[in-house]
Amino acid sequence: MYEISVDCSFSAAHALRHYRGKCEQVHGHNYKVRVTVAGEKLDDTGLLIDFADLRSAITGVARRLDHQFLNELPPFDRVNPSAENLARHFFDEVAKQVGNGLRLSQVTVWETDVSSATYRPTR
Ligand SMILES: [Zn+2]
């Protein structure tokens, strides 16, 4: 099996609802996101998926969130904008754009250099 990953970053503010601690207050992160695609077969060029196509999918999602207050944007006006839920959001949005027998295997979102959350569907 082959796996390829593309990273991107964006900056945004959030406030965690129902959280007792300083993350309940509005604060910002320079988020990093890594999207990983898996598949068994390469195309005639020897590629699983063109990095540029995957990059375009992930940056499209990130652009909508960049320099925004996440709590005001759907789905985070209802769903808490935690790193876990951001990973799920990126997964769902990028998965819509990945076809040709490929599957999105996981998405990791870093809030800081040392704190990350990964979403991977259970099979
Ligand atoms: Zn935070």
Side-chain angles (χ1 to χ4, degrees), residues 14 27 29 111:
H14 76 165
H27 62 282
H29 292 289
E111 280 194 353

Side-chain angles (χ1 to χ4, degrees), residues 12-13 52 73 91 116 123:
L73 290 180
F91 189 97
S116 67
R123 280 182 276 157

